[in-house]
Amino acid sequence: NPGNWAVQVEELSLDSCTFRFKGAENIPEEGHFDEKNFFISGIQLAADEIKIKGDTLHGNINNLSAKERCGIVIRTLRSKVTVSPNASVCENLYLETNYSKIKDYYAMHYLHFPAFNYYIDSVTMVAHLQDATIDQRDIAFFAPQIKKLPDVVLKVNGNGRGTVADLNVKHLNVTDGSSIIKGNISMKGLPDINATQISFSDAEISTTGSALLRYAPALKNDSTIAIDRLLYTYFKGNYEGTIENFTVKGVITTNLGNITTNLKMEIPGFESKKAIYSGSVTADNVQ
């Protein structure tokens, strides 16, 4: 805007609009979001107090709804929005998708708009989540490998920053209703969850035997483990590695005794028969 034009619009509405972007010749996979080929339909928008000053747009989105080709739906989005050549910021955010609800703040930072062609590596996200509800089925549109994991709906609080491929979250607090996870986590390698390097520091995990069965159902048929007698479990320590090859250092406190671990675990394909364990374990009155 070299002429320094000022533009002001009191109200703006869009009804049943579409937006298509084609940045590559590949055919997108069904049910998988492709940042180089997307098609958004059914766009409904109600916005007001829109101003363009210099190179930056400001405004209030009172309601936005739309559906992307892969299947993810924005049921409603409300936010105070700022868009510039280097950042898109949503303050006082409320976003409801197919199964998830996210609030309070979300921003994307980039060198220039073409960075969205390479979103996974080139757009830095900043998020402050407050009482957010995140459903695995929504995440699977962007990281389809997650479909292999147990179905889960999470309540999330925390502050995140980074690209999809290199993400860091501080003061994380996550619960599925039965288990609670707290700490600081970094993940490098998404969207391929199997190859992602995870560093989980100052970790705290509270759970029970019955809650563990959701993620390790094979334990139910293991006659050597009285999983129903595990009334509480509390872990404090650190985790490093991938989801199939990792080290755990910390202390596990339970109603059946305590365990101190410095353990390396390899579980190829999550197949227990192929699992390999090495390291040291100290037990204190473990039943």
Side-chain angles (χ1 to χ4, degrees):
N1 187 11
N4 240 5
W5 280 64
V7 178
Q8 182 169 331
V9 178
E10 290 185 6
E11 293 185 2
L12 172 67
S13 64
L14 301 178
D15 183 25
S16 301
C17 294
T18 60
F19 178 82
R20 185 189 298 269
F21 174 78
K22 187 171 179 62
E25 295 301 321
N26 64 295
I27 299 175
E29 295 181 37
E30 185 176 352
H32 182 193
F33 180 78
D34 185 340
E35 74 276 9
K36 294 184 179 180
N37 288 288
F38 53 86
F39 176 56
I40 304 172
S41 61
I43 300 173
Q44 304 284 137
L45 172 68
D48 63 15
E49 297 186 18
I50 301 165
K51 299 177 182 178
I52 299 175
K53 186 176 181 180
D55 62 4
T56 303
L57 181 150
H58 306 268
N60 298 321
I61 295 178
N62 299 316
N63 184 58
L64 169 67
S65 60
K67 181 178 181 179
E68 209 280 319
R69 171 204 57 81
C70 68
I72 193 164
V73 175
I74 296 176
R75 297 189 184 279
T76 184
L77 183 150
R78 300 188 297 271
S79 180
K80 179 181 179 182
V81 175
T82 303
V83 179
S84 77
N86 304 114
S88 297
V89 181
C90 293
E91 300 176 85
N92 302 322
L93 171 67
Y94 177 82
L95 168 63
E96 184 174 341
T97 62
N98 304 49
Y99 311 104
S100 304
K101 296 178 182 179
I102 297 174
K103 55 182 181 181
D104 162 60
Y105 176 94
Y106 179 70
M108 296 177 289
H109 298 268
Y110 37 85
L111 291 177
H112 41 59
F113 283 119
F116 282 92
N117 289 329
Y118 312 97
Y119 187 91
I120 289 174
D121 299 294
S122 302
V123 177
T124 297
M125 304 171 291
V126 179
H128 306 307
L129 300 183
Q130 185 176 26
D131 298 326
T133 301
I134 300 178
D135 193 299
Q136 177 200 23
R137 290 172 290 181
D138 282 335
I139 300 298
F141 289 116
F142 304 92
Q145 296 89 347
I146 287 179
K147 293 179 181 178
K148 299 178 183 179
L149 302 178
D151 293 338
V152 64
V153 178
L154 302 174
K155 295 285 187 181
V156 182
N157 289 275
N159 301 317
R161 184 182 184 89
T163 63
V164 173
D166 188 358
L167 184 63
N168 295 277
V169 181
K170 300 292 186 182
H171 310 299
L172 180 67
N173 188 319
V174 179
T175 179
D176 63 1
S178 301
S179 304
I180 301 174
I181 297 176
K182 299 179 181 179
N184 303 313
I185 189 168
S186 68
M187 304 178 74
K188 296 183 178 182
L190 287 174
D192 186 351
I193 188 64
N194 293 317
T196 297
Q197 290 290 326
I198 302 170
S199 176
F200 192 15
S201 59
D202 299 322
E204 296 181 61
I205 302 175
S206 301
T207 188
T208 65
S210 58
L212 287 172
L213 289 176
R214 185 175 188 180
Y215 304 97
L219 292 176
K220 188 175 184 179
N221 302 318
D222 191 331
S223 60
T224 65
I225 301 176
I227 196 72
D228 57 315
R229 293 187 58 200
L230 198 59
L231 302 181
Y232 70 85
T233 300
Y234 173 73
F235 169 80
K236 186 173 179 61
N238 299 290
Y239 173 109
E240 296 277 347
T242 67
I243 60 174
E244 296 180 358
N245 188 335
F246 55 89
T247 58
V248 176
K249 297 179 181 180
V251 178
I252 303 171
T253 304
T254 80
N255 62 298
L256 299 178
N258 306 323
I259 298 174
T260 301
T261 70
N262 185 352
L263 197 63
K264 180 177 177 60
M265 306 177 71
E266 296 180 45
I267 315 175
F270 291 104
E271 296 184 33
S272 58
K273 292 181 180 179
K274 297 181 180 179
I276 300 172
Y277 308 83
S278 61
S280 63
V281 177
T282 303
D284 175 17
N285 194 32
V286 173
Q287 302 172 44

